[in-house]
Amino acid sequence: MIYTHVLQFFSDPAIFDSVEIITQFFNLVTFSGFIFCFGYVNQLVYYRKSFANVYRRMLVASIKTLLAFYISGIAFQIFVANESLTWKTIYPVLLLEVIPGWSEFLLSFSMILFMGILLFPFIKWMIEKPSIFLIITGLLLISTKMDYGLIDTPQLGLLIGTDLFPTFPVIQYFPFYIIGIYFARYSIRFNWKILISSVIGTLIFLVFLIINHFQLPERFPPSIYWILGSTFFIYMYFLIVKWLEFHFNDISWLRKIGENALLFLILSNLSIFALVSSLTSWIVSPSNGFLITIFIISLVFYLINITKNSPRPES
């Protein structure tokens, strides 16, 4: 996601042909993959326990993510949209009347977690009944067929999609959340049925590309082809991570990213937005964009280390 944001802000597909391919691939896979991981982790941390024991922690996590959206969104309005730091700028963001660019995904995380609180007993019941789980997943996918033009309020658009502004609607991406929960609940690894299902999902996306002369399906709001397109790649990511986990006990740097994902997302956005405001004519190649991404990640690692490992004063 960080690499994609760097290329979107600092590169130009008209100059570097590969930029379009790189960014669209990661656009396809990254957010859906995040939501899958989100569901997977939430099963391990929350859904294995009783509602009374975890709802406060879930609510706090949802609020923290909402605050992350506010920080990133207001920074976007100031650094990228060139608005002044006034209540006139801040107030619409706080009320979710204005959804700043490159920050809306944080709001979706918060809303998905909040929905996970509201649906806590239903989700636990559904996951124990695979046939019901499949029916619900199918119904959520069918929701991509709704007429988004009927949605004329930003707040409702965040939940079920709208064509008023770019958003990652909760309902349309919720299948990845519950699939992640399902994978964690049943300790799924390699499974032929799941592999075939994931291949079919991505093949449907590829057939759409071929029929439509390689014009991508709608992303904002998402069509069913866009939602299905990432399934094979996410499953491959999942299997690769499980292979790494099995063969390499100590992958602490990867764990640190996972444990501090929200901090990486906030600080990377703030870094990119600040650079945009001062480097308006800066155009980088994909390779240089990758180096900038490594620099941003290294910077966040450094900040985490000096914050968490600072020596205590002697008493």
Side-chain angles (χ1 to χ4, degrees):
M1 183 175 283
I2 297 173
Y3 183 42
T4 302
H5 287 178
V6 168
L7 292 182
Q8 287 171 335
F9 278 103
F10 300 117
S11 195
D12 187 348
I15 299 174
F16 303 102
D17 294 337
S18 59
V19 167
E20 182 72 15
I21 298 171
I22 294 169
T23 55
Q24 293 297 359
F25 173 76
F26 288 119
N27 283 340
L28 178 70
V29 173
T30 304
F31 182 76
S32 300
F34 266 125
I35 298 302
F36 170 84
C37 294
F38 203 37
Y40 194 95
V41 171
N42 282 356
Q43 166 62 25
L44 299 177
V45 177
Y46 302 130
Y47 291 105
R48 292 194 300 185
K49 303 173 184 178
S50 69
F51 181 71
N53 288 333
V54 300
Y55 78 90
R56 290 185 183 87
R57 290 167 58 199
M58 293 180 75
L59 184 59
V60 169
S62 178
I63 292 171
K64 284 182 178 179
T65 312
L66 177 62
L67 292 175
F69 161 75
Y70 286 144
I71 293 169
S72 178
I74 292 169
F76 179 90
Q77 296 299 86
I78 295 168
F79 290 118
V80 182
N82 296 316
E83 295 190 7
S84 303
L85 183 56
T86 63
W87 276 112
K88 187 178 179 181
T89 298
I90 297 172
Y91 198 61
V93 177
L94 295 180
L95 294 181
L96 307 182
E97 293 175 352
V98 171
I99 311 299
W102 285 267
S103 305
E104 62 282 313
F105 66 95
L106 292 166
L107 182 55
S108 296
F109 286 139
S110 177
M111 294 179 69
I112 284 174
L113 187 52
F114 186 70
M115 181 174 283
I117 299 172
L118 297 178
L119 298 176
F120 192 95
F122 176 76
I123 289 173
K124 290 192 70 170
W125 171 80
M126 175 190 62
I127 291 300
E128 299 300 325
K129 301 182 180 300
S131 58
I132 301 295
F133 164 79
L134 289 174
I135 291 170
I136 296 299
T137 303
L139 290 174
L140 289 169
L141 290 173
I142 292 172
S143 71
T144 57
K145 294 296 186 180
M146 73 172 63
D147 183 358
Y148 293 110
L150 299 175
I151 312 302
D152 57 0
T153 59
Q155 294 83 356
L156 185 59
L158 294 167
L159 182 64
I160 61 176
T162 179
D163 52 15
L164 296 175
F165 56 88
T167 185
F168 298 93
V170 172
I171 296 299
Q172 283 75 9
Y173 282 98
F174 209 69
F176 291 105
Y177 183 72
I178 60 175
I179 289 170
I181 292 172
Y182 187 90
F183 269 54
R185 168 64 181 84
Y186 295 103
S187 301
I188 290 174
R189 298 294 185 269
F190 180 80
N191 181 293
W192 278 108
K193 290 181 180 178
I194 293 175
L195 174 63
I196 292 170
S197 299
S198 71
V199 169
I200 290 172
T202 298
L203 278 177
I204 290 172
F205 167 78
L206 293 175
V207 169
F208 176 92
L209 286 184
I210 294 169
I211 292 174
N212 291 275
H213 309 289
F214 291 91
Q215 294 295 313
L216 288 168
E218 189 72 21
R219 182 188 179 203
F220 297 123
S223 72
I224 191 170
Y225 305 105
W226 181 268
I227 295 292
L228 290 174
S230 62
T231 52
F232 172 73
F233 302 108
I234 290 174
Y235 191 44
M236 289 300 101
Y237 275 177
F238 173 77
L239 293 178
I240 290 169
V241 169
K242 287 301 177 185
W243 183 86
L244 289 172
E245 185 182 44
F246 181 79
H247 288 87
F248 299 95
N249 247 351
D250 186 17
I251 46 176
S252 56
W253 65 277
L254 278 177
R255 293 185 187 278
K256 186 163 287 189
I257 293 176
E259 291 166 358
N260 300 277
L262 189 58
L263 185 59
F264 273 90
L265 294 174
I266 296 173
L267 293 182
S268 66
N269 267 11
L270 294 180
S271 301
I272 292 169
F273 296 162
L275 286 171
V276 167
S277 66
S278 57
L279 299 170
T280 54
S281 60
W282 201 29
I283 299 177
V284 302
S285 66
S287 57
N288 286 339
F290 184 74
L291 292 177
I292 294 169
T293 304
I294 296 299
F295 172 77
I296 292 172
I297 292 173
S298 301
L299 175 63
V300 179
F301 263 116
Y302 173 73
L303 293 174
I304 291 171
N305 286 330
I306 64 172
T307 302
K308 293 192 174 181
N309 299 327
S310 56
R312 298 180 180 177
E314 295 182 6
S315 55

